[in-house]
């Protein structure tokens, strides 16, 4: 019914680091050639925790978009936009809030976890509780098929699926649904209508998943039908009402976890990051002073890579041969730690060189970035408006 869209967002928290690159951005770059991708700056989400620093959000937002572009996110392929420029997200969030049980929000694991972790902030706000609901609106408004996120965000995608299901359940059951669905079947044309009915029966009577898939594929190709009729046919197929909001699936970002310089999670608050576009001298110094296996006090003391954060960097950056060289050299004290770090330094600098180069043109001319985002906003807004028209229609809010 809808192209297999991918939607993902990132909060503008300041300069991005290599953890963001390996944990998310690299995957965004890969996906942009496989699906229509919508990547946005979740600036309202930044306010859920940092409402008292709202003045820095804008600068962080533009910096972050430059980091995306530096990483290889390509505005000719992906749509880049800013959440707050599409107020339809807020409208959908408000309407969804009416049908969202408080218990569902309170039970999202990140709610209590984050409150404990950020204990220095007062997060007993509605905005913070509603974080996953705003995120749901971000995704559902584009009827996305996939949401690429890390492990920690899986409950949020689960949550948005439940919200979509609840919305469709409440508002997809229009009066005379059955008759309208049957009329829509006829509009497929006699050959496809017959096939649709057969597949539907096979699915509903025998639970044949293959038949369900085939019927969906048939509908994907039924371009001549109005959106409302397609929604009815998707719903009728499974025995429900209209499918107005699509339940998205998680696209788990393959865990190529790059920890911080000290071996903990790479995070600005731990002061253990390497920024995406950090200058070569500073990167070199940071890696040269990275802690290593504490057993290697003297050059002649053997060590164990498993106890060393430098080894984690080799896992991300080094080829098989280098890794074997590290394993053998560390355990036999055949190599020194500085020697061991050199291939990592070289690889990080090599990864960053094209990033710095790509960023330069945007740093020289910031209007380029603003134009990219303005174009992206226009594209996103058009889709968001279309969804909202239907949402209002099924809720009976399209007053004229
Ligand atoms: N919660 C996400 C994060 O912290 C950011 C985000 C906001 C998001 N809205 C989204 C991610 C929609 C995916 C889809 O990383
Ligand atoms: Fe770490 Fe390499 Fe030193 Fe071993 S030789 S402790 S892996 S830096």
């Amino acid at each position: 019914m809808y192209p297999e869209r991918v939607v993902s967002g990132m909060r503008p928290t300041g300069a991005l680091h290599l953890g963001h690159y390996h944990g998310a951005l690299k995957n965004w770059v890969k996906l942009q050639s496989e699906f229509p991708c919508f990547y946005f700056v979740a600036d309202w989400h930044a306010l859920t925790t940092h409402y008292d620093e709202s003045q820095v959000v804008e600068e962080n937002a533009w910096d972050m978009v430059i980091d995306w572009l530096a990483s290889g996110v390509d505005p000719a392929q992906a749509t880049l936009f800013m959440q707050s420029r599409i107020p339809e997200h807020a409208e959908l969030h408000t309407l969804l809030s009416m049908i969202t049980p408080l218990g569902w929000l309170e039970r999202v694991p990140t709610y209590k976890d984050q409150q404990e972790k950020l204990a220095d902030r007062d997060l007993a706000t509605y905005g913070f509780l509603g974080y996953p609901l705003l995120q749901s609106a971000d995704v559902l408004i584009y009827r996305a098929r996939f949401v690429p996120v890390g492990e920690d965000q899986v409950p949020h995608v689960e949550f948005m699926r439940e919200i979509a299901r609840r919305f469709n359940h409440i508002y997809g059951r229009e009066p005379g649904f059955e008759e309208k669905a049957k009329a829509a079947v006829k509009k497929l044309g006699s050959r496809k209508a017959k096939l649709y009915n057969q597949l539907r029966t096979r699915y509903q009577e025998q639970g044949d998943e293959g038949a369900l898939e085939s019927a969906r594929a048939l509908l994907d190709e039924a371009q001549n039908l109005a959106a409302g009729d397609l929604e009815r046919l998707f719903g009728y197929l499974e025995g429900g009402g209209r499918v107005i909001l699509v339940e998205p699936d998680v696209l788990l970002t393959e865990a190529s976890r790059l920890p911080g310089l000290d071996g903990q999670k790479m995070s600005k608050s731990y002061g253990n990051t390497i920024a995406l576009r950090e200058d070569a001298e500073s990167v070199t110094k940071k890696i040269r002073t990275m802690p290593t296996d504490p057993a290697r006090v003297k050059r002649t003391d053997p060590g164990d890579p498993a106890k060393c954060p430098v080894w984690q960097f080799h896992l991300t950056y080094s080829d098989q041969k280098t890794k074997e060289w590290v394993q053998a050299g560390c355990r036999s004290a055949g190599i020194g730690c500085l020697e061991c770090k050199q291939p990592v330094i070289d690889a990080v600098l090599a990864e960053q060189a094209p990033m710095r180069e790509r960023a330069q043109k945007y740093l020289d001319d910031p209007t380029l970035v603003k134009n990219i985002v303005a174009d992206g906003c226009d594209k996103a807004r058009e889709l968001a408006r279309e969804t909202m028209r239907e949402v209002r229609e099924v809720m009976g809010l399209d007053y004229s």
Side-chain angles (χ1 to χ4, degrees):
M1 156 162 54
Y2 308 104
E4 303 219 300
R5 284 185 203 127
V6 164
V7 171
S8 198
M10 223 182 260
R11 282 171 299 158
T13 49
L16 298 185
H17 51 64
L18 292 177
H20 294 115
Y21 179 68
H22 288 279
L25 283 171
K26 220 165 58 174
N27 194 41
W28 283 19
V29 171
K30 176 167 106 31
L31 290 169
Q32 67 188 359
S33 60
E34 300 169 4
F35 300 98
C37 290
F38 291 75
Y39 299 139
F40 68 95
V41 179
D43 50 349
W44 284 335
H45 276 106
L47 297 176
T48 61
T49 49
H50 291 69
Y51 49 81
D52 53 351
E53 293 166 29
S54 63
Q55 300 300 332
V56 302
V57 171
E58 181 180 8
E59 195 186 327
N60 285 345
W62 296 121
D63 281 349
M64 183 167 76
V65 176
I66 294 180
D67 280 336
W68 293 355
L69 296 164
S71 300
V73 174
D74 174 8
Q77 299 186 74
T79 302
L80 311 185
F81 69 99
M82 194 84 81
Q83 181 187 41
S84 64
R85 298 258 190 99
I86 319 290
E88 282 79 2
H89 289 221
E91 183 183 359
L92 184 57
H93 171 253
T94 296
L95 295 178
L96 294 177
S97 77
M98 310 302 167
I99 63 163
T100 303
L102 270 181
W104 289 16
L105 285 168
E106 287 161 350
R107 257 185 275 121
V108 175
T110 44
Y111 179 56
K112 290 236 154 58
D113 290 356
Q114 289 289 101
Q115 268 188 342
E116 282 164 22
K117 234 174 110 191
L118 304 175
D120 55 321
R121 297 180 173 271
D122 177 9
L123 296 181
T125 58
Y126 167 69
F128 187 69
L129 176 67
Y131 186 114
L133 190 63
L134 180 57
Q135 189 170 352
S136 304
D138 295 337
V139 172
L140 299 178
I141 204 160
Y142 300 106
R143 304 200 248 217
R145 247 330 258 117
F146 298 112
V147 189
V149 285
E151 198 81 61
D152 60 315
Q153 296 281 306
V154 172
H156 290 186
V157 178
E158 258 325 300
F159 176 86
M160 58 182 84
R161 291 173 61 87
E162 280 167 25
I163 294 291
R165 216 172 301 147
R166 185 164 164 85
F167 184 92
N168 293 333
H169 182 75
I170 297 175
Y171 300 110
R173 299 197 173 263
E174 56 194 343
F177 173 74
E178 185 90 15
E179 289 68 37
K180 287 181 182 164
K182 283 183 180 154
V185 176
K186 290 214 177 91
K187 293 181 198 164
L188 286 169
S190 60
R191 195 182 58 82
K192 282 190 177 162
K194 194 170 155 206
L195 185 56
Y196 173 91
N197 283 327
Q198 283 169 350
L199 292 167
R200 175 172 178 271
T201 309
R202 251 171 54 206
Y203 173 65
Q204 293 201 357
E205 289 179 2
Q206 298 154 35
D208 182 343
E209 293 285 336
L212 178 63
E213 277 312 303
S214 307
R216 281 186 180 149
L218 180 147
L219 293 179
D220 281 335
E221 276 155 32
Q223 300 290 354
N224 57 326
L225 255 63
D229 276 337
L230 272 176
E231 287 161 5
R232 291 183 185 100
L233 291 181
F234 273 101
Y236 190 53
L237 194 56
E238 294 185 70
R242 274 172 76 169
V243 178
I244 301 113
L245 299 179
V246 174
E247 288 177 43
D249 280 313
V250 172
L251 260 188
L252 260 194
T253 306
E254 327 136 30
S256 78
R257 285 257 151 267
L258 182 69
L261 293 161
D262 55 359
Q264 298 186 78
K265 181 180 155 72
M266 190 181 281
S267 161
K268 222 169 75 173
S269 51
Y270 299 148
N272 61 1
T273 63
I274 296 176
L276 221 62
R277 293 180 274 126
E278 192 157 332
D279 66 87
E281 201 181 322
S282 163
V283 172
T284 306
K285 189 165 157 217
K286 278 186 179 174
I287 299 177
R288 287 175 74 93
T289 54
M290 258 176 96
T292 59
D293 178 357
R296 298 208 68 182
V297 183
K298 294 196 302 288
R299 167 69 178 74
T300 48
D301 294 330
D304 177 1
K307 296 183 181 142
C308 176
V310 178
W311 171 244
Q312 298 298 317
F313 276 61
H314 277 293
L315 286 179
T316 297
Y317 285 103
S318 298
D319 59 16
Q320 197 52 36
K321 213 175 119 226
T322 310
K323 284 188 275 195
E324 280 163 18
W325 170 78
V326 172
Q327 284 290 343
C330 181
R331 291 171 194 285
S332 65
I335 59 171
C337 289
L338 277 179
E339 210 178 325
C340 176
K341 288 169 171 179
Q342 196 55 47
V344 171
I345 295 173
D346 294 341
V348 171
L349 294 180
E351 180 173 73
Q352 286 176 317
M355 294 189 188
R356 250 182 261 114
E357 195 178 320
R358 277 192 290 256
Q360 197 55 49
K361 112 176 160 193
Y362 301 109
L363 293 168
D364 292 342
D365 184 1
T367 59
L368 290 177
V369 183
K370 302 218 165 169
N371 289 340
I372 288 167
V373 171
D375 288 350
C377 287
D378 286 346
K379 269 178 77 179
R381 195 177 296 111
E382 202 175 311
L383 297 173
R385 283 192 176 152
E386 199 181 301
T387 305
M388 286 317 297
R389 263 198 296 277
E390 277 178 58
V391 164
R392 287 188 217 108
E393 186 225 315
V394 297
M395 292 183 74
L397 299 173
D398 52 345
Y399 313 136
S400 51

